[in-house]
């Protein structure tokens, strides 16, 4: 009888220990599931912002200046049919039109450059902000280069809850 009591007494604490371990494991599982749900909600908007800002930056960087059409050059055949005096008048008019176009084009190009520089600065700031937000929340998600890129495998792992990494801010 004493042996049975001793055996029962020994099993009690073991059972309690097993129950504690199960409860702790269940708590960890719930926390991991909660973190997964938070990640699935928080990550997509951050990824969308990163993608949009990167696309916008690339778009502004790729812009090129397109000049307005220059005055049409004089037609040599038509010029030969004109009297010398008329040829000189047309040449003078063409030269004035060409000079006026060059002046307008110079101003237009300078304005375009200023405008592009301002848009480029805004695009760079917005992209830097989206990179910083992603790095704060999920540091392992981007490469550490000057032009950070998304690590697709890490994104998929986070969205699939393939392991709990950093917690979102």
């Amino acid at each position: 009888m004493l042996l049975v009591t001793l055996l029962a007494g020994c099993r009690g604490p073991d059972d309690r220990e097993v129950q504690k371990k199960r409860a702790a494991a269940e708590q960890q599982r719930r926390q991991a599931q909660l973190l997964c749900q938070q990640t699935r909600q928080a990550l997509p908007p951050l990824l969308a912002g990163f993608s949009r800002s990167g696309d916008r930056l690339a778009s502004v960087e790729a812009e090129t200046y397109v000049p307005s059409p220059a005055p049409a050059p004089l037609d040599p055949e038509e010029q030969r049919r004109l009297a010398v005096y008329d040829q000189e008048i047309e040449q003078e008019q063409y030269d004035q039109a060409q000079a006026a176009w060059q002046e307008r084009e110079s101003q237009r190009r300078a304005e375009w450059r200023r405008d592009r520089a301002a848009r480029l600065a805004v695009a760079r700031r917005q992209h830097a902000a989206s990179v910083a937000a992603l790095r704060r929340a999920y540091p392992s998600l981007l490469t550490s280069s000057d032009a950070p890129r998304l690590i697709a495998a890490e994104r998929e792992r986070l969205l699939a809850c393939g392991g709990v990494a950093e917690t979102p801010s």
Side-chain angles (χ1 to χ4, degrees):
M1 182 74 91
L2 181 60
L3 185 60
V4 172
T5 306
L6 283 177
L7 287 175
C10 290
R11 285 188 189 160
D14 285 342
D15 286 344
R16 279 185 244 136
E17 192 63 35
V18 168
Q19 286 176 354
K20 283 182 185 179
K21 287 181 181 179
R22 282 183 187 159
E26 180 62 22
Q27 180 65 23
Q28 283 182 329
R29 187 190 65 74
R30 282 191 209 127
Q31 287 175 344
Q33 189 175 21
L34 179 62
L35 181 59
C36 176
Q37 289 170 350
Q38 290 172 344
T39 298
R40 284 185 176 170
Q41 289 175 354
L43 186 55
L46 291 172
L47 292 173
F50 174 75
S51 179
R52 273 193 313 275
S53 67
D55 291 348
R56 179 68 183 140
L57 178 58
S59 172
V60 173
E61 287 176 337
E63 289 177 359
T64 57
Y65 178 74
V66 178
S68 64
L74 298 173
D75 182 2
E77 287 299 317
E78 187 179 314
Q79 290 295 303
R80 275 182 245 174
R81 288 186 242 145
L82 297 175
V84 173
Y85 177 76
D86 289 337
Q87 287 177 7
E88 289 172 355
I89 288 175
E90 279 201 0
Q91 184 64 47
E92 188 176 310
Q93 289 173 341
Y94 173 77
D95 291 344
Q96 288 174 353
Q98 182 73 12
W101 173 79
Q102 286 175 341
E103 179 61 30
R104 283 190 315 270
E105 197 56 30
S106 174
Q107 291 173 2
R108 187 172 169 257
R109 181 183 299 267
E111 177 64 26
W112 179 84
R113 284 182 178 152
R114 284 189 298 273
D115 182 57
R116 181 179 179 266
R119 286 182 288 113
L120 194 56
V122 168
R124 284 180 176 150
R125 278 193 306 272
Q126 288 173 343
H127 190 59
S130 69
V131 166
L134 261 178
R135 282 210 168 118
R136 266 191 313 277
Y138 305 99
S140 63
L141 197 53
L142 297 174
T143 61
S144 61
S145 63
D146 287 340
R149 289 193 195 93
L150 198 61
I151 301 171
E154 181 67 4
R155 178 191 65 212
E156 296 307 317
R157 185 188 71 76
L158 285 169
L159 290 174
C161 301
V164 178
E166 298 79 24
T167 57
S169 307

